[in-house]
Amino acid sequence: MVDFSNAAVDLPCMCANLRRASRAITQSYEEALRPLGLRATQFTILQVLFRTGELCQGDLGQILAMDSTTLTRTLRIMSREGWIAERRGKDRRERLLCLAKAGRSQFNRALSSWERAQAHLQRQLGDKCWLDFLKLTTEVTALVMQKGDVS
């Protein structure tokens, strides 16, 4: 019987490898944010809104490469918590989102936990690998999003 406890199985699929890496990284950030009652996806949304200010839900979905259903579900939870403020745009279907006061507070409270998780992962990878990985994932995301459907 093969022992898989300390080794990742080589997979020939880019999707499988990125999803596996994403799940492992997400678990690390979730552990850091759990004491604050915050999920990694929620922190990311708070972070985007902190950095961009108000934007429509469609633009937020594009920035995060998230489907509308998943984003709507997450935003509903965050709105119930009072972290997200929402108003209708000129077109009544348009939802403009920004951080509410409680969202800004939650973001600021979580920032040091997130920074520790970041620093830990960066130390494990090393600075060059860290920067290369950030650049590569940004480039891959942009490439795939430009092309639209990859089929």
Side-chain angles (χ1 to χ4, degrees):
M1 182 155 190
V2 178
D3 178 16
F4 295 111
S5 62
N6 292 321
V9 174
D10 286 336
L11 298 172
C13 176
M14 176 67 75
C15 181
N17 279 291
L18 282 173
R19 289 178 58 85
R20 177 173 57 187
S22 176
R23 285 189 297 272
I25 291 167
T26 298
Q27 289 170 14
S28 176
Y29 283 87
E30 295 259 331
E31 185 178 322
L33 296 169
R34 189 173 295 115
L36 300 160
L38 196 58
R39 305 291 309 258
T41 304
Q42 294 168 333
F43 179 83
T44 301
I45 291 170
L46 294 175
Q47 185 179 56
V48 169
L49 292 175
F50 179 83
R51 295 176 64 102
T52 62
E54 184 178 71
L55 58 128
C56 71
Q57 182 174 336
D59 289 344
L60 179 60
Q62 276 195 305
I63 289 168
L64 298 173
M66 281 180 83
D67 67 272
S68 180
T69 303
T70 302
L71 182 57
T72 297
R73 185 178 335 111
T74 303
L75 289 171
R76 190 175 303 121
I77 293 166
M78 295 177 75
S79 291
R80 269 197 316 260
E81 295 292 333
W83 299 339
I84 303 289
E86 169 185 329
R87 70 178 179 87
R88 296 288 176 198
K90 291 177 185 140
D91 178 340
R92 289 180 29 177
R93 294 170 295 174
E94 183 180 51
R95 294 175 62 194
L96 297 171
L97 308 166
C98 67
L99 282 182
K101 186 176 179 181
R104 187 170 299 277
S105 174
Q106 181 72 338
F107 175 75
N108 288 328
R109 219 172 31 252
L111 199 51
S112 63
S113 295
W114 173 80
E115 287 170 342
R116 281 193 299 279
Q118 285 271 105
H120 177 72
L121 188 54
Q122 186 171 358
R123 277 192 308 278
Q124 288 181 311
L125 289 173
D127 289 340
K128 181 176 179 352
C129 186
W130 173 264
L131 293 173
D132 288 347
F133 188 69
L134 286 175
K135 182 179 177 190
L136 179 62
T137 54
T138 300
E139 288 173 359
V140 168
T141 302
L143 178 68
V144 173
M145 296 300 286
Q146 264 178 8
K147 300 282 185 186
D149 187 5
V150 294
S151 59

